[in-house]
Amino acid sequence: MKAAVVNDFKEAPKVSVIETPKPAANEQTVHVLAAAVYPRVRSQANGTHYTSTGELPFVPGLDGVGQTEAGQTGYFITSNAKYGALAEQAVIDHHRFIPLDNGIDAARVAAGMNPAMSAWMSIKVRVGELTGKKVMVLGATGAAGQMAVQISHYLGASEVIGVGRNQTKLAALSELGATQTISLRDDQESLRVAFTAAADVDVVLDYLWGTAASTAMKVMLPARQNHSQQLLWIEIGSMSGADMVLPSAALRSVNLNLVGSGQGSINARQYLAELPELAQLISVGQFKIASTTMPLTELNETNWNDVTKRVVYTMN
């Protein structure tokens, strides 16, 4: 079969013909329809991600859309360290396949599921009903943050405040449903004023953590008009730092509910229940995600390290 293969961590993957994988007892074969390349896939391919085993060669790719041997279309997350998603076939754990309608737009779903999943599951599992609530998205200019803005708006948030550094992308957030934006490039006084004005939000979807979250919290918590009103702060990513200093009084003087959301904290049944609806919405174009689609056979001619693009490779 044709597959993108990593033979050297210092070189980009190249398409070549390799042996078709055989599933183990707990695995099944998936005929891949589409799989995306994004920063996490690149860190897998160059061996810099903490999950890297250092073993070569292997096929990169963390998720995609494919069909089982029985013809069922679905979204899958890879589980085999040697055979990833950027191939004509992949082998995956039975529990990492989510059945979808056979008419799904495979390329759109492959492009959008990874960045959309974190916000969708955080809201569905951690928040529940979002209608009428005020939401802040910390890190709203990244791919996942832009999806979080759109999903919050779609699920009925009364206000969506996007916070980020990229001025161009901040300016475009209003088209995605943001009612207000805050630039982290502003001076400290401007940030204090902006976060004070936004202090009474109900939910924060935090893709940044670190210094950005610390700056926001230290202003917002004491500025809340009703300290007994719950603020649900959901930690999703750590682009601004893995650690944050939070004064203990913040947890005693304000009704702050600080929780995390990620694959390790949400069980498989919840993913199975919630993701088919998200996939369908992505498939019909409800949420915008910038991507380029091309056949896998053209991978060798593309710039693998171009981080400005989310490329979806199709296998037919």
Side-chain angles (χ1 to χ4, degrees), residues 230-248:
Q230 185 187 77
L231 170 58
L232 180 57
W233 195 292
I234 307 175
E235 202 287 312
I236 303 172
S238 54
M239 295 299 292
S240 185
D243 302 305
M244 184 190 71
V245 176
L246 179 64
S248 61

Side-chain angles (χ1 to χ4, degrees), residues 19-212:
E19 184 179 359
T20 301
K22 292 179 173 56
N26 65 327
E27 294 178 326
Q28 63 178 321
T29 297
V30 172
H31 297 269
V32 182
L33 300 176
V37 173
Y38 41 88
R40 173 65 181 83
V41 176
R42 293 187 182 94
S43 67
Q44 175 198 30
N46 63 28
T48 59
H49 196 265
Y50 69 89
T51 60
S52 175
T53 64
E55 295 182 16
L56 294 168
F58 69 93
V59 177
L62 298 170
D63 63 342
V65 177
Q67 284 188 333
T68 65
E69 298 280 19
Q72 173 65 60
T73 300
Y75 171 73
F76 67 89
I77 298 172
T78 58
S79 56
N80 189 298
K82 187 174 180 64
Y83 295 105
L86 289 168
E88 292 179 322
Q89 293 184 36
V91 287
I92 61 167
D93 187 292
H94 288 287
H95 300 295
R96 294 194 174 201
F97 184 86
I98 297 173
L100 303 173
D101 291 342
N102 283 348
I104 210 84
D105 187 318
R108 277 184 176 173
V109 174
M113 282 293 274
N114 177 270
M117 192 188 313
S118 59
W120 185 266
M121 295 303 295
S122 295
I123 293 169
K124 290 289 187 174
V125 176
R126 300 286 183 248
V127 183
E129 181 58 58
L130 194 66
T131 302
K133 288 183 167 61
K134 300 176 182 178
V135 177
M136 174 180 287
V137 180
L138 273 179
T141 56
Q146 290 175 66
M147 278 292 195
V149 168
Q150 296 179 76
I151 289 169
S152 298
H153 174 71
Y154 174 80
L155 292 176
S158 60
E159 295 182 28
V160 183
I161 303 168
V163 183
R165 294 185 182 279
N166 187 307
Q167 300 285 27
T168 302
K169 291 182 178 179
L170 273 178
L173 287 181
S174 61
E175 300 174 10
L176 304 181
T179 55
Q180 179 187 339
T181 59
I182 297 174
S183 173
L184 290 172
R185 292 189 180 277
D186 285 349
D187 59 70
Q188 290 300 308
E189 176 58 20
S190 296
L191 282 175
R192 186 191 67 77
V193 171
F195 281 127
T196 298
D200 290 318
V201 297
D202 300 293
V203 178
V204 174
L205 301 176
D206 182 3
Y207 290 88
L208 299 180
W209 200 239
T211 55

